[in-house]
């Protein structure tokens, strides 16, 4: 065994456990073929944790997450827990992980695999070869801003309040990481806000511009309003390289970008914290898709987003870029070979289950590594 890598696995709800099972298959393959061993701890999050422990994330699981080299999460939520009070909902488990681990940068790549060009809702020539990276700020903004809540006014009306708030540091750290990423890619960063209507957007634009002048003059920086960005993403997506934006705009723009690639079932994400004194950074990897309760338990979910999230863990947490490349290449090949889960099914292709997709991927990895 070359090394031990400590990973916390949180399958969560809905299709989470099904897709996570396929990751285990790949991990076993790596154990066998690459002599890379992972120490896996499994825990509960979201509805699964509510059912077992009465809370969407226990303090023990939170402590495990803080201690792990990486956390791999499936998905949270479902109709069963929809009526719970806000503070007890499954989503709160995920939000607490992000906040307490201080995972301020959420990387959401939108890459269009050649074999899926036809599955996109856009014309093939608009998405062929698409490779953009959305960096979403993940621990501030309206998701966490205070004051928040629902209050009753003296006149009996109720008022719901959330606060969009960003500090200099919150903007600068996610912008710096985005400039660094752009440097390693095609050297272009587009910063997205609504400085035309929001003071937090004005500050965002000023700070990103200042940082650019201080340290990243070699990166080509542009600015765009969020509504225009949504439009440009469906008009001419290949104009972008890296996009950096706030928590809420990032949530929406990344779903839109995901669909360009054919299916939400294909897109991975990495959420990263700051590098600490030991050179380590906290990290959580999860597919962009949700728990998909409508198809849970049927064995039809697409495991590729979760498998690609694991590949991101190999790249960003475990410094195993070759193995990450291997998984990504195997995904490309399996798709080129005509296998499709229901979400990416096309005429003339073979519809396969979650398990068959996972098994085929491992077989492809075997071939590639031979
Ligand atoms: C996402 C999801 C989450 C979010 C939900 C599940 C809380 O939509 O990761 O994009 O809004 O951040
Ligand atoms: Mg979302």
């Amino acid at each position: 065994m070359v090394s031990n890598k400590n990973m916390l696995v949180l399958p969560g709800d809905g299709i989470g456990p099904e897709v996570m099972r396929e990751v285990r298959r790949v991990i076993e393959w790596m154990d066998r073929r690459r002599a890379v061993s992972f120490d896996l701890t499994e825990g509960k999050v979201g509805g699964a944790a509510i059912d077992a422990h009465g809370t969407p994330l226990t303090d023990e699981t939170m402590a495990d997450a803080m201690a792990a080299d990486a956390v791999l999460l499936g998905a949270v939520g479902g109709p069963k827990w929809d009526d719970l009070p806000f503070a007890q909902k499954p989503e709160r488990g995920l939000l607490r992980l992000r906040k307490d681990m201080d995972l301020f940068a959420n990387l959401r790549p939108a890459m269009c695999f050649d074999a899926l060009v036809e599955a996109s809702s856009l014309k093939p020539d608009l998405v062929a070869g698409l490779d953009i990276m959305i960096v979403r700020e993940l621990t501030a903004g309206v998701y966490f801003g205070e004051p928040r809540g629902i209050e009753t006014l003296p006149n009996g009306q109720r008022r719901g309040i959330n606060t969009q708030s960003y500090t200099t540091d919150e903007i600068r750290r996610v912008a710096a990481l985005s400039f660094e990423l752009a440097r390693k890619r095609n050297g272009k960063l587009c910063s997205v806000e609504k400085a035309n209507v929001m003071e937090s957007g004005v500050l965002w634009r000023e700070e990103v511009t200042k940082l650019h002048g201080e340290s990243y003059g070699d990166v080509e920086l542009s600015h765009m309003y969020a509504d225009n960005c949504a439009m440009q993403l469906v008009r001419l997506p290949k104009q972008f390289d890296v996009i950096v934006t706030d928590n809420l705009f990032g949530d929406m723009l990344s779903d839109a970008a995901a669909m360009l690639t054919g299916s939400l079932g294909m897109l991975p994400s990495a959420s990263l914290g700051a590098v600490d004194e030991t050179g380590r950074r906290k990290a959580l990897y999860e597919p962009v898709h949700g728990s998909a309760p409508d198809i849970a338990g049927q064995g039809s979910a697409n495991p590729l987003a979760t498998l690609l999230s694991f590949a991101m863990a190999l790249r960003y947490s475990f410094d195993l870029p070759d193995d990450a490349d291997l998984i990504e290449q195997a995904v490309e090949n399996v798709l080129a070979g005509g296998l499709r889960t229901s979400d990416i099914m096309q005429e003339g292709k073979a519809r396969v289950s979650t398990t068959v997709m996972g098994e085929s991927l491992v077989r492809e990895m075997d071939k590639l590594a031979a």
Side-chain angles (χ1 to χ4, degrees), residues 51-177:
D51 289 351
H53 310 294
T55 163
L57 187 77
T58 64
D59 292 342
E60 291 74 40
T61 308
M62 190 62 235
D64 287 344
M66 295 298 265
D69 293 324
V71 179
L72 189 64
L73 186 135
V76 296
K80 179 173 175 197
W81 306 282
D82 272 354
D83 295 331
L84 286 175
F86 193 71
Q88 290 162 35
K89 280 191 189 297
E91 287 79 2
R92 300 314 300 177
L94 176 58
L95 294 174
R96 180 178 174 202
L97 281 166
R98 291 174 178 172
K99 186 70 177 171
D100 288 9
M101 291 169 77
D102 202 17
L103 306 172
F104 64 88
N106 181 216
L107 280 50
R108 300 190 160 187
M111 274 178 56
C112 189
F113 286 92
D114 287 345
L116 291 185
V117 165
E118 298 288 338
S120 173
S121 45
L122 294 195
K123 295 194 190 85
D125 59 310
L126 287 180
V127 293
L130 179 76
D131 177 4
I132 61 188
M133 175 71 88
I134 297 188
V135 182
R136 165 186 177 193
E137 199 292 326
L138 202 60
T139 49
V142 78
Y143 272 60
F144 298 99
E146 300 282 347
R148 64 187 299 159
I150 300 176
E151 63 183 20
T152 303
L153 301 172
N155 66 3
Q157 291 274 310
R158 295 203 305 154
R159 178 162 74 160
I161 305 159
N162 289 93
T163 304
Q164 165 81 335
S165 131
Y166 272 101
T167 63
T168 310
D169 279 356
E170 285 166 348
I171 298 166
R172 284 178 68 99
R173 61 182 186 170
V174 73
L177 192 143

Side-chain angles (χ1 to χ4, degrees), residues 3 5-7 23 26-31 34 36-38 40 69-72 268-270 272 283-286 306-329 361 365:
S3 60
K5 300 168 187 320
N6 174 299
M7 197 159 75
V23 174
V26 171
I27 289 177
E28 281 158 25
W29 182 91
M30 291 188 65
D31 246 328
R34 297 293 233 212
V36 179
S37 115
F38 290 87
L40 299 185
D69 293 324
V71 179
L72 189 64
S269 83
L272 307 176
L284 180 143
Y285 301 87
E286 55 177 322
T306 308
L307 289 161
L308 290 168
S309 301
F310 176 64
M312 287 187 92
L314 298 180
R315 200 181 293 289
Y316 292 107
S317 285
F318 299 122
D319 198 24
L320 293 168
D322 295 345
D323 294 283
D325 288 346
L326 185 80
I327 294 178
E328 287 163 7
Q329 186 62 54
L361 187 92
M365 288 171 70

Side-chain angles (χ1 to χ4, degrees), residues 188-260:
K188 288 198 323 189
L189 179 65
C190 180
S191 170
V192 173
E193 26 60 14
K194 272 189 68 76
N196 51 345
V197 284
M198 296 163 80
E199 283 78 1
S200 58
V202 172
L203 184 74
W204 183 284
R205 189 176 285 221
E206 284 175 6
E207 290 303 330
V208 173
T209 304
K210 215 188 288 169
L211 183 64
H212 179 239
E214 284 164 25
S215 321
Y216 298 102
D218 54 312
V219 176
E220 188 189 315
L221 173 66
S222 60
H223 303 275
M224 202 179 268
Y225 296 142
D227 51 347
N228 184 25
C229 183
M231 192 264 278
Q232 296 297 335
L233 272 173
V234 291
R235 190 183 80 93
L236 211 59
K238 281 190 266 184
Q239 69 183 282
F240 296 108
D241 179 19
V242 181
I243 292 173
V244 61
T245 189
D246 77 15
N247 205 342
L248 185 60
F249 293 144
D251 180 44
M252 297 188 285
L253 294 174
S254 61
D255 267 24
M259 207 51 221
L260 301 176

